[in-house]
Amino acid sequence: IGEGGMGTVWMADQTEPIKRRVAVKLIRVDRGNSRTILARFEAERQAIALMDHPHIARLLDAGTTDAGQPYFVMDLVKGIPLNEFCDAHKLNVHQRLGLFQQICSAVQHAHQKGIIHRDLKPTNVLVEDHEGKPVPKVIDFGLAKATSGLQLTEHSLFTAFGSVMGTPLYMAPEQAGFNATDVDTRADVYALGVILYELLTGSTPLTSDTLKRAALDEVLKLVREQEAPTPSSRLSSAGSLPSVAANRQTEPGKLGRFVKGELDWIVLKALSKERDRRYESANGFARDIERFLAHEPVSAGPPSSTYKLWKFARRNRGQVIAASLVLFALLAGIAGTTWGLVEAKRQQKLAVAAQVAESERAEGERSAKLVAEAKTAEAERAKVRAEAGEKLASDRLIEVEAQKKIAVEETQIAQAVRDFLQNKLLAQADTTAQADTLLKAGESSSGAKWNPTIRELLDRAARELAPDRIEANFPKQPLTQAAILDTIGKTYLGIGEDEPAIDFLKRTEALHRKHLGPAHPDTLTSMNDLADAYYYVRKYDLALPLFKETLKLRNATLGPEHPSTLESMGNLAATYLYIGNRDLALPLLVETVTLKNAILGPEHPDTLSSTDNLASANLVLGKYDLALSLFEETLKLRKAKLGPEHPSTLESVDNLAWAYATAGKHDLALSLFKETVKFYKVKLGPEHPFTIRNMNNLTSFYLDVAAKQAWLDQGTELAATCQKVLLVSKDTDNVVLAERMAKVCSLRPSDDQTHEAALVLARRAVELGKGHPYLPYFQMALGMAEYRSGHFAEADAALLAAATLGTNNAFVTGTSALYRAMTLFRQGQATEAEKLATEAVAKMKPLPADETNPLAGNAYHDDLILWLAYKEAKEMIRFKAVPPPTVKDDAK
């Protein structure tokens, strides 16, 4: 799609990890000056890599082809050159100036990074149309030069002797020479001035026809010395003015008048031959454009007569000297003649003086009248200003009073929250206060618990905040109610009690939305907190729309780079990841991590959280080395920043453990899982929700390992795993632990002692788990254990109960049906067994694509247990049904 002095540019399709269309710049290495070209190519690649700006094409990748040709990959800019775009879309002058300001912003960014472009021109500024909005992109940094000691390449890179760098039509005077090395950022300011000149008039200060007729040294002399005519004078003399004006949606006369004056001054300041008279920066240039558009005084001004005379003398030094000598001779010759005329002139002046005196008297009277009128007008203006000042003061007073009111309301809310926490929550730990509370409620204090837990204190305080009581406690104070509900909800969440937390956070969000509106920062915070709570209990269907709405509103009200907006981006990306939508999760995660690194820094807790999620995405994609590297780096930074016992650090330990397990590094994974469980048991006790949650993670790991061993027919290893889990789960009252460990020892036939231990665990899970949301799992585990023990009738009853309770769970219903089919077959009911198995297989998830690594991708141990049941039932019953075709990517 393009060709230049160093190489070619191609349009290409990137296929992974993100599918998109890109531009690839490929270097030529077979030319005589290949060393110089390679150095410039490397310098361009490094220059682009330094920059990150919406109006500069980004560097996406770089490398070398098999043939040794260096290349780099950039954003594909589907645009056309700046002047062509403006004329094709007939942008008016205001629109062109707005577009030009964006280009100045990009150039300023390059200068701040220590890069001078040196070849700015319309063909190196491509403009795309994004939904009717023009978006410019600066490209081609092939002639870029570094400043401030920055090194763009390790190769030697000098301007070749006798060479000229740049395009003459847009070249600054200091570039217009052989071996021009004294070039700074103001050379780019000059080129921007030429671009603006062309945007206004349709032509450059030096026309291409003029340059075509001149030799190279004459061209360079013109660039250095010929002053640019003002844009307005160029318009007045242009034969193509009607078409130029039409392309700017105005009339020829209006266009010239609009440009004349301040726009002339701005352009000529940028095009000054002396660098010191130009704008100091691209930002300064853009700010003067902004002042012009805002009808404010511009910093550029018309050149003085003295400056013009000096410039003329400098351009025409020889002629000026000759003219001066001639003038001196003339003055000497006429001096005598002049003396004779002096007396005559003196008499004439006396006569004129009398006439002037009379005229001055009349003028004095007229001036006095004008002064009187001016004083009257000034008095009127003073009166108007005084009235305006009074209104301004009144408005300011109203604003101050409003701020005071807000401050008072916030203080009252904070005081109410403190009073509630002290009197309704913390005071309940006092034994006397507890007894008084019971007496007031008409209850006996006998049997009361005098050493309540935090959960019990919260439950007592929460009763005062029930929907039917909160208004009585805080009448007509909705924001106070919201603040207290929010505090209690977050406290529940902090101790791992998710369900009551969600109830309080839902009520907080509803009050904020009703009384502050959906776009208020407090409402957005409570929306995000509620979505977070849904996310933690894996209610992704409720979390996802809330995260989407919060991100949309924060983007609109706070801007895309605000920390709260970045927080919402990370939350939404994580939710996409955990519902299996990698096409949306991965690019959003990459963008979030990039922005957080740039804005918050790589060690910020929010940055580390998003980096952890990016690692999880790569783990799901099977990129184990990259995922482990990201997890390990995050853990290292969290330990250094937060300490080894911080909850976020422990979360990183847990995530790294799962990554090790998924990558097959079971010993490392088991060590980390045990480490976190031990820590939580010591710090929080065995019954704390966080301890139970991490214990369940350990059991999930054992179940993953055991299911994979069973799938690969590793009987000895599976038996060893079973013995380990029986030691871990002995005498446990944790129903999830009991259920999972029972399943570990029921995946394959084994000795009677093992099956008896598994049956004890499964029965305990069912007995203790009545009313538990996982009861269908417990019943299924009991059915599996009864089947392995040879109790086929009992197994059938338990499996039927599991399928009935778990009608909406494909794993429970499918696995239970296949085990039931085997129990029926063992009891001689072959026809019923085949029918039941055939129906179950029709609804099955496809078998794993990789037989050697069945848990790759998005598979879970539940999937593997179902597949194991299918293989065993198929071999026993010999039915013909097969599951759906195997697919390579099951993430969605």
Side-chain angles (χ1 to χ4, degrees):
I1 57 174
E3 186 169 7
M6 291 193 296
T8 52
V9 183
W10 301 79
M11 180 168 63
D13 285 325
Q14 181 180 358
T15 57
E16 60 177 350
I18 301 173
K19 293 182 179 180
R20 56 185 167 188
R21 187 150 286 179
V22 297
V24 179
K25 188 162 187 176
L26 188 64
I27 189 72
R28 292 193 184 95
V29 294
D30 57 346
R31 301 178 59 177
N33 58 346
S34 60
R35 182 178 179 83
T36 300
I37 291 175
L38 283 170
R40 291 214 173 279
F41 185 84
E42 184 178 337
E44 179 180 10
R45 183 164 63 184
Q46 183 61 33
I48 299 172
L50 289 170
M51 289 177 280
D52 182 14
H53 192 276
H55 299 306
I56 297 176
R58 294 179 301 164
L59 179 70
L60 304 176
D61 199 358
T64 306
T65 69
D66 293 341
Q69 290 181 274
Y71 69 86
F72 59 78
V73 183
M74 300 176 62
D75 285 329
L76 178 64
V77 183
K78 299 178 181 178
I80 60 176
L82 173 66
N83 48 2
E84 294 180 23
F85 183 93
C86 291
D87 288 349
H89 291 77
K90 297 191 183 305
L91 299 188
N92 61 36
V93 176
H94 281 87
Q95 291 168 325
R96 291 171 188 242
L97 292 175
L99 200 57
F100 181 75
Q101 286 177 295
Q102 297 178 44
I103 298 166
C104 287
S105 172
V107 175
Q108 179 70 19
H109 177 78
H111 291 172
Q112 289 173 337
K113 295 293 184 179
I115 303 299
I116 309 170
H117 191 286
R118 293 205 298 181
D119 197 20
L120 289 172
K121 53 188 175 182
T123 53
N124 283 342
V125 181
L126 302 184
V127 185
E128 300 175 297
D129 190 335
H130 284 188
E131 299 178 354
K133 179 182 177 182
V135 178
K137 296 275 187 179
V138 178
I139 64 169
D140 197 349
F141 283 78
L143 297 183
K145 175 185 177 182
T147 63
S148 304
L150 180 69
Q151 186 174 355
L152 293 180
T153 174
E154 295 179 356
H155 298 293
S156 297
L157 180 58
F158 302 105
T159 302
F161 183 76
S163 65
V164 178
M165 308 301 291
T167 304
L169 283 174
Y170 302 90
M171 184 186 294
E174 57 269 26
Q175 289 178 266
F178 299 105
N179 316 315
T181 57
D182 181 21
V183 175
D184 58 25
T185 56
R186 289 170 293 184
D188 283 349
V189 171
Y190 186 94
L192 287 171
V194 179
I195 291 172
L196 179 56
Y197 194 104
E198 190 170 3
L199 286 175
L200 295 173
T201 68
S203 69
T204 51
L206 284 173
T207 63
S208 55
D209 290 341
T210 301
L211 298 189
K212 285 177 183 178
R213 295 193 298 268
L216 178 58
D217 57 343
E218 294 174 341
V219 167
L220 298 179
K221 183 177 180 182
L222 287 171
V223 172
R224 290 193 301 269
E225 297 182 1
Q226 182 166 311
E227 295 291 343
T230 63
S232 60
S233 65
R234 173 60 59 84
L235 286 170
S236 65
S237 62
S240 58
L241 179 57
S243 62
V244 171
N247 284 336
R248 288 150 184 78
Q249 297 189 41
T250 187
E251 299 172 7
K254 286 185 178 179
L255 178 61
R257 289 194 297 273
F258 185 81
V259 171
K260 188 173 183 179
E262 289 177 319
L263 280 179
D264 281 340
W265 304 344
I266 291 171
V267 172
L268 291 183
K269 182 177 177 68
L271 294 179
S272 177
K273 298 296 182 185
E274 293 76 35
R275 282 182 283 188
D276 292 342
R277 296 182 63 84
R278 294 179 208 152
Y279 291 101
E280 286 295 322
S281 65
N283 261 2
F285 198 169
R287 280 197 293 271
D288 237 8
I289 297 293
E290 185 178 354
R291 292 187 191 100
F292 170 77
L293 293 173
H295 305 291
E296 297 174 358
V298 299
S299 65
S304 66
S305 299
T306 303
Y307 175 70
K308 289 180 179 178
L309 179 60
W310 177 79
K311 290 291 290 180
F312 175 81
R314 187 175 177 184
R315 287 197 309 272
N316 304 280
R317 184 175 302 172
Q319 295 93 321
V320 168
I321 292 173
S324 299
L325 292 173
V326 172
L327 179 60
F328 180 77
L330 288 173
L331 288 174
I334 64 173
T337 306
T338 304
W339 180 259
L341 298 174
V342 168
E343 182 61 23
K345 286 289 184 182
R346 189 177 69 84
Q347 294 300 325
Q348 184 180 0
K349 284 180 180 179
L350 290 174
V352 170
Q355 296 177 356
V356 169
E358 178 61 25
S359 175
E360 286 177 348
R361 185 188 61 76
E363 182 64 24
E365 292 177 355
R366 190 175 70 86
S367 297
K369 182 180 178 182
L370 289 175
V371 168
E373 291 173 351
K375 287 182 178 180
T376 302
E378 178 59 29
E380 290 292 330
R381 284 195 294 271
K383 181 181 178 183
V384 171
R385 283 196 299 270
E387 292 173 352
E390 290 174 3
K391 184 178 186 305
L392 184 62
S394 175
D395 291 344
R396 177 58 182 160
L397 183 61
I398 292 171
E399 181 183 348
V400 169
E401 289 300 322
Q403 290 174 348
K404 284 182 180 178
K405 183 179 179 183
I406 292 172
V408 169
E409 289 177 351
E410 290 177 347
T411 303
Q412 290 173 344
I413 291 172
Q415 184 62 48
V417 173
R418 283 196 299 271
D419 290 346
F420 180 83
L421 294 178
Q422 285 181 344
N423 301 328
K424 299 295 184 182
L425 180 62
L426 300 177
Q428 292 302 309
D430 181 273
T431 53
T432 304
Q434 293 182 59
D436 290 344
T437 301
L438 292 170
L439 286 173
K440 190 180 294 185
E443 301 175 14
S444 172
S445 60
S446 61
K449 187 175 181 182
W450 301 114
N451 187 25
T453 64
I454 293 177
R455 169 65 193 266
E456 289 166 339
L457 288 176
L458 280 172
D459 289 345
R460 292 180 189 179
R463 284 194 285 270
E464 299 296 326
L465 302 176
D468 60 338
R469 299 181 67 177
I470 191 170
E471 181 63 30
N473 283 310
F474 305 99
K476 297 181 181 180
Q477 301 173 61
L479 297 183
T480 301
Q481 295 175 19
I484 295 173
L485 291 170
D486 183 62
T487 302
I488 299 298
K490 286 179 179 175
T491 307
Y492 270 123
L493 200 62
I495 64 170
E497 299 294 344
D498 300 322
E499 292 302 331
I502 288 174
D503 177 62
F504 280 91
L505 294 175
K506 280 172 66 177
R507 292 167 62 193
T508 302
E509 190 268 347
L511 283 169
H512 279 153
R513 189 183 285 267
K514 178 179 179 181
H515 295 283
L516 298 177
H520 191 279
D522 289 351
T523 307
L524 295 174
T525 299
S526 56
M527 288 166 61
N528 184 75
D529 292 342
L530 176 58
D532 257 344
Y534 284 140
Y535 175 87
Y536 284 128
V537 297
R538 297 185 180 182
K539 294 182 178 181
Y540 300 126
D541 57 326
L542 298 176
L544 185 63
L546 264 180
F547 278 140
K548 282 184 177 179
E549 184 183 3
T550 307
L551 175 58
K552 179 181 178 182
L553 290 171
R554 279 179 166 173
N555 211 352
T557 58
L558 304 176
E561 296 185 355
H562 192 279
S564 296
T565 307
L566 297 179
E567 175 192 34
S568 290
M569 286 177 65
N571 290 339
L572 181 58
T575 309
Y576 280 140
L577 175 63
Y578 288 103
I579 64 174
N581 195 334
R582 287 181 291 182
D583 285 350
L584 292 176
L586 191 59
L588 189 55
L589 277 170
V590 171
E591 182 184 2
T592 304
V593 171
T594 302
L595 286 172
K596 285 185 176 181
N597 267 296
I599 297 168
L600 304 178
E603 297 182 1
H604 192 280
D606 288 354
T607 306
L608 295 174
S609 178
S610 292
T611 305
D612 242 16
N613 289 328
L614 181 59
S616 297
N618 282 288
L619 191 68
V620 172
L621 290 169
K623 298 181 178 181
Y624 298 143
D625 289 343
L626 177 57
L628 288 174
S629 174
L630 289 170
F631 278 132
E632 288 166 350
E633 181 64 18
T634 304
L635 176 58
K636 177 183 174 183
L637 290 172
R638 278 179 166 166
K639 277 185 176 179
K641 187 79 174 177
L642 307 174
E645 297 184 354
H646 191 278
S648 295
T649 306
L650 294 170
E651 180 186 7
S652 273
V653 174
D654 197 46
N655 289 338
L656 181 57
W658 277 117
Y660 282 144
T662 306
K665 300 182 179 184
H666 294 152
D667 291 342
L668 292 173
L670 184 59
S671 173
L672 291 180
F673 278 129
K674 287 183 175 179
E675 177 187 333
T676 53
V677 169
K678 180 180 178 181
F679 170 82
Y680 280 116
K681 277 185 176 179
V682 172
K683 290 289 185 179
L684 302 177
E687 302 303 321
H688 194 279
F690 288 173
T691 307
I692 294 172
R693 183 181 299 171
N694 279 270
M695 194 69 186
N696 291 341
N697 286 340
L698 177 60
T699 63
S700 290
F701 165 72
Y702 276 127
L703 195 51
D704 276 354
V705 172
K708 188 172 180 181
Q709 290 169 341
W711 179 263
L712 299 175
D713 291 324
Q714 296 173 346
T716 304
E717 292 84 349
L718 177 60
T721 301
C722 178
Q723 293 307 312
K724 289 180 183 177
V725 303
L726 289 177
L727 289 174
V728 171
S729 56
K730 184 181 179 181
D731 300 326
T732 183
D733 289 332
N734 182 334
V735 289
V736 176
L737 174 61
E739 174 259 340
R740 289 180 177 174
M741 298 305 93
K743 282 196 293 192
V744 166
C745 297
S746 301
L747 294 173
R748 280 283 182 259
S750 184
D751 58 79
D752 293 341
Q753 187 176 359
T754 299
H755 289 152
E756 182 180 348
L759 188 57
V760 170
L761 287 171
R763 286 173 176 170
R764 187 179 303 156
V766 171
E767 180 63 28
L768 297 176
K770 291 176 180 178
H772 196 285
Y774 287 175
L775 184 58
Y777 284 88
F778 305 159
Q779 287 284 3
M780 189 189 77
L782 177 59
M784 292 171 63
E786 296 278 19
Y787 173 74
R788 294 298 179 204
S789 299
H791 308 153
F792 301 128
E794 291 84 349
D796 188 47
L799 293 166
L800 182 60
T804 303
L805 290 169
T807 52
N808 296 323
N809 189 313
F811 161 67
V812 171
T813 56
T815 308
S816 296
L818 289 169
Y819 269 95
R820 278 198 67 214
M822 290 189 282
T823 64
L824 293 173
F825 188 85
R826 294 278 191 156
Q827 297 176 82
Q829 302 177 47
T831 303
E832 292 82 351
E834 182 176 359
K835 179 181 177 183
L836 186 59
T838 301
E839 291 174 352
V841 171
K843 301 174 183 177
M844 265 184 64
K845 185 176 182 177
L847 292 173
D850 185 354
E851 288 279 338
T852 61
N853 189 13
L855 292 178
N858 220 35
Y860 192 50
H861 56 242
D862 284 350
D863 301 314
L864 194 47
I865 292 171
L866 175 59
W867 294 332
L868 283 166
Y870 162 75
K871 290 177 72 174
E872 187 176 356
K874 178 81 172 175
E875 186 176 346
M876 177 187 297
I877 303 171
R878 304 289 181 182
F879 52 82
K880 297 180 180 179
V882 295
T886 300
V887 294
K888 291 186 177 181
D889 185 355
D890 222 0
K892 296 179 186 176

